[in-house]
Amino acid sequence: MNAKKILVASATLAIGALALSGCAGGSGDSADGQSMTLWHNSTTGPGQEFWEQTVADFEAENPDVTIEIQSLQNEELDGKLQTALNSGDAPDIFLQRGGGKMAAMVEAGQLKDLTDVLSDTATSEIPEGSFRANTIDGSVYAMPVAVLPGGIFYSQDLFDEAGIEETPATIDELEDAVEALKATDVAPIALGGKDAWPAAHWYYFFALRACSPETMADAAAEMNFEDPCWLEAAENLQSFADTEPYNDGFLTTSAQQGAGSSAGLLANRQAAMELMGAWNPGVIASLTPDQEPLPDLGWFPFPEVPGGEGEPGSILGGVDGYSCSVDAPDACVDFLNYLATSDVQENYYAAFNAPPVNTVAQEAVTEPYLQQILEAYNAAPYVSQWLDTVYGLNVGNALNVAVVDLLAGNSGPDQLVEAVNTAAAKG
């Protein structure tokens, strides 16, 4: 990736303990070797099989190590993980989203510092920019495994049926595409508003177009959203939502669970578009009738919005990584370095249909939409992580809920900004 790009730094946030869950944490050294637990968010299909096979292969190469796998639903993972960390019963290896969420874990002394134990393969084949997303104060706390920029996935067949010859480059062109698709009796845009964060993605991107990189960075550092661009972004979202671009019942539609989810609507050609991160092709493939990749799937960057201070071509998206809890056995670091190897990364790409972070493994990417995603990501003048990740659990959740309230007609742009500032003031 382009090492010059700037990823939003996030302020350290204190995250309180949540209600205890029944998930077991790590187990450490045993008389027979090192036993560990791994938490990930792939509950079905090739993604779940990837983790099972990867763990089995690692255990075969390291017979003194055993890893117990727990797969958690994506929407449940953050809460259960924070509960486990705060209760001292953390898993040894777990999905790390970075940003303010990771900063809070570092502040609490819950993560192992990986800076001096990264393998030569990891540091030579994974770009510095990807490590930067998992770095705080010069120390690395997670191994990157995938780059997952956001953008709009679409069905080329449905675009063709609607007479849409070019992918929208501006918000006006996107609105024109929405109107053309309405005439074909499909939902122009699928939205899983029930899970909140997919709806919030729309506000994140409008904010990225309205706010300068400096304003975005200042907001992350100071937790202050008084700059007029935040209100401008909310007003732009309201204006776009007034065109009624989303599927009927989007407020009660889940994002990724089942054929009726927003990803399922696109997978089954009941909707033409979905704004989502680069993990989406794998989710869509698991929900098609034959559980194969959607053959006409395409992708384009979020359109430009006139009048804003954001740098054209800027992009949102996370760098998924995996962390070791602070008391995890040494084998945890070995496993993370194993995840970084090109062979494992190629298997990751094949399983998830998502861009791997290892540059050698990226050479195996053949799908045009994934190549476009990588090209846009590498060329972006500015990259921000997902804003709920940047701002941490409390402020991030308040932002997500406020966006849903706006889209539901329960509040307006002023109330959205006010809700986020109120949550930030509470710390």
Side-chain angles (χ1 to χ4, degrees), residues 309-349:
E309 297 181 357
E311 291 193 40
S314 295
I315 201 166
L316 275 160
V319 177
D320 269 6
Y322 276 78
S323 289
C324 292
S325 62
V326 67
D327 294 323
D330 293 342
C332 183
V333 174
D334 296 335
F335 183 74
L336 296 190
N337 281 321
Y338 179 67
L339 290 181
T341 60
S342 59
D343 286 347
V344 175
Q345 282 276 291
E346 283 193 37
N347 292 337
Y348 184 97
Y349 151 64

Side-chain angles (χ1 to χ4, degrees), residues 25 41 68 76 82 107 109 180 233-234 256 286 322 344 397 400 406:
N41 66 342
E68 177 187 347
E76 298 176 354
Q82 198 59 56
E107 177 72 11
Q256 301 176 342
S286 72
Y322 276 78
V344 175
N397 285 349
N400 292 355
L406 182 146

Side-chain angles (χ1 to χ4, degrees), residues 155 158 181 184-190 246-248 258-273 287 294:
S155 163
L158 293 182
L181 287 159
T184 65
D185 294 325
V186 299
I189 299 173
Y246 305 122
N247 55 289
D248 291 340
S261 66
S262 55
L265 294 177
L266 183 53
N268 294 282
R269 293 188 172 84
Q270 294 175 311
M273 292 180 274
L287 298 173
L294 194 67

Side-chain angles (χ1 to χ4, degrees), residues 273-288:
M273 292 180 274
E274 184 184 22
L275 175 62
M276 192 54 67
W279 60 84
N280 209 32
V283 177
I284 291 169
S286 72
L287 298 173
T288 59

Side-chain angles (χ1 to χ4, degrees), residues 94-354:
F94 53 87
L95 176 65
Q96 177 60 255
R97 304 190 198 273
K101 296 176 181 179
M102 186 175 78
M105 297 176 194
V106 172
E107 177 72 11
Q110 295 167 332
L111 301 184
K112 189 182 290 290
D113 187 340
L114 306 176
T115 311
D116 297 326
V117 289
L118 299 170
S119 69
D120 291 342
T121 295
T123 55
S124 65
E125 296 183 4
I126 296 177
E128 179 185 349
S130 296
F131 276 110
R132 193 179 302 129
N134 294 294
T135 299
I136 293 178
D137 294 333
S139 295
V140 178
Y141 291 96
M143 179 67 74
V145 296
V147 291
L148 301 170
I152 298 181
F153 292 89
Y154 72 99
S155 163
Q156 184 64 61
D157 289 350
L158 293 182
F159 268 40
D160 291 344
E161 290 174 15
I164 302 170
E165 297 179 355
E166 300 289 340
T167 54
T170 67
I171 199 67
D172 287 342
E173 291 176 2
L174 181 60
E175 291 181 0
D176 290 342
V178 165
E179 291 307 311
L181 287 159
K182 285 181 180 180
T184 65
D185 294 325
V186 299
I189 299 173
L191 178 59
K194 179 181 179 181
D195 293 322
W197 56 267
H201 283 181
W202 283 91
Y203 178 73
Y204 301 169
F205 269 100
F206 276 113
L208 189 71
R209 297 292 181 256
C211 301
S212 69
E214 292 75 19
T215 299
M216 299 284 286
D218 288 346
E222 300 171 8
M223 288 294 138
N224 184 298
F225 304 89
E226 298 293 346
D227 190 286
C229 71
W230 299 105
L231 178 60
E232 178 185 343
E235 291 171 342
N236 288 340
L237 173 58
Q238 179 72 78
S239 177
F240 181 71
D242 287 344
T243 68
E244 299 183 350
Y246 305 122
N247 55 289
D248 291 340
F250 70 88
L251 291 171
T252 56
T253 300
S254 64
Q256 301 176 342
Q257 301 173 49
S261 66
S262 55
L265 294 177
L266 183 53
N268 294 282
R269 293 188 172 84
Q270 294 175 311
M273 292 180 274
E274 184 184 22
L275 175 62
M276 192 54 67
W279 60 84
N280 209 32
V283 177
I284 291 169
S286 72
L287 298 173
T288 59
D290 57 4
Q291 295 192 328
E292 294 292 334
L294 194 67
D296 65 320
L297 187 65
W299 180 90
F300 60 92
F302 191 87
E304 298 298 331
V305 181
E309 297 181 357
E311 291 193 40
S314 295
I315 201 166
L316 275 160
V319 177
D320 269 6
Y322 276 78
S323 289
C324 292
S325 62
V326 67
D327 294 323
D330 293 342
C332 183
V333 174
D334 296 335
F335 183 74
L336 296 190
N337 281 321
Y338 179 67
L339 290 181
T341 60
S342 59
D343 286 347
V344 175
Q345 282 276 291
E346 283 193 37
N347 292 337
Y348 184 97
Y349 151 64
F352 290 94
N353 199 206

